[in-house]
Amino acid sequence: MSGICNDEGILCALVERLGNLCGKIKFLLSYLCQMAEHLSIITGSKTEIYQSLIPQIKALFEGEPDLIANLANVSAALKEQFGWFWVGFYLVKDDELVLGPFQGPVACTRIKKGRGVCGTAWQNAETLIVDDVEKFPGHIACSSLSKSEIVIPLFKNGEVIGVLDVDSNKLGQFDETDKKYLEEIVAILALFPPVGGEL
Ligand code: SME
C-alpha cells in the first residue's frame, strides 16, 4: 500500500479518503443499530414512563413493515419497562384468537369470540380492565399467578384484528392511564404496515 501511495499521490489521497469515509459509515451504522436495539428504561409516574416509552416504540417501528416483528418488539418493550407478568398479542385467525408474539410464561393458544377477557374485548371491540380476574365470569386462567388484566383491541379498517393482553401478578394493576397509553400504542401499531401488510 505504501508503495502505491508513494508512487501515486492522487491514488494515495483517494484511498485515505475512502478509508475515512468507511470508518464514518461504520460508526454511523453501529450507532443506528445500537439506537434501534436499546431501550431506555426509566422510573417515574406511569404517565412519565409511557411518555418516555411511546417515542421509543415509534422508533422501533420506523422502517419495519413486518407486523409480527413490531408486535414482538412492543411485547418486549412493555415487559422490559414495566416487568408485568405476561404481555402479548392474540391475532384473529379464522374466527378465533390465536396466540401471537408475547413475553412471559407459555399461554393458551386459541380463544373463541366472547370467551374470557380477550374474547370479550374482541366481541365488544373495546378495552377491558379486570381488577380481579377471579371475579370475571369466564376468565381463562392460563396461569394461576395472573391476578389482574387489561385487554386492548387492535383495529384495522374498523375491524378488530387482534388484541394486546397484559396480565399482572398483582390485583388492580391497571387503570385509565394504562388504557389511554396502551390504546395509543396499539393505534400506532395499526398504522404499520401502512399498506399491503400481512394482516
Ligand atoms: N386470561 C385471558 C387468556 C389469555 S392469558 O391471560 C395470556 C382471558 O381470559 O382471555
Side-chain angles (χ1 to χ4, degrees), residues 85-88 90 97 99 102 105-108 111 115-120 133 136 138-143 146 149 151 165-167:
F85 178 67
W86 196 92
V87 182
Y90 283 89
L97 288 170
L99 184 62
F102 72 95
V106 293
C108 330
I111 298 172
R115 298 284 308 279
V117 187
C118 293
T120 307
V133 293
F136 187 91
H139 167 254
I140 300 164
C142 294
S143 165
S146 171
E149 187 164 356
V151 178
D165 180 19
V166 186
D167 289 44

Side-chain angles (χ1 to χ4, degrees), residues 136-191:
F136 187 91
H139 167 254
I140 300 164
C142 294
S143 165
S144 60
L145 295 175
S146 171
K147 301 289 179 215
S148 60
E149 187 164 356
I150 184 168
V151 178
I152 304 97
L154 182 55
F155 293 93
K156 193 164 179 95
N157 303 324
E159 294 271 301
V160 177
I161 58 158
V163 297
L164 166 60
D165 180 19
V166 186
D167 289 44
S168 170
N169 53 9
K170 293 189 193 121
L171 288 168
Q173 174 76 69
F174 306 104
D175 57 21
E176 289 299 314
T177 303
D178 297 292
K179 177 177 185 292
K180 174 181 171 198
Y181 287 108
L182 292 175
E183 283 180 353
E184 197 177 312
I185 290 170
V186 299
I188 304 163
L189 251 178
L191 300 174

Side-chain angles (χ1 to χ4, degrees), residues 48-59:
E48 286 166 342
I49 291 175
Y50 279 112
Q51 285 176 351
S52 152
L53 192 60
I54 287 175
Q56 297 186 71
I57 286 178
K58 281 185 183 160

Side-chain angles (χ1 to χ4, degrees), residues 5 8 11 13 20-21 24 34 40 54 68 85-86 89 92 94 108 126-127 129 137 143 156 188 192 194-195:
C5 286
E8 307 285 339
L11 187 61
N20 285 341
L21 190 64
K24 281 179 187 157
Q34 228 184 348
S40 166
I54 287 175
I68 297 299
F85 178 67
W86 196 92
F89 291 88
V92 174
D94 299 330
C108 330
E126 63 181 24
T127 297
I129 297 173
S143 165
K156 193 164 179 95
I188 304 163
F192 289 82
V195 282

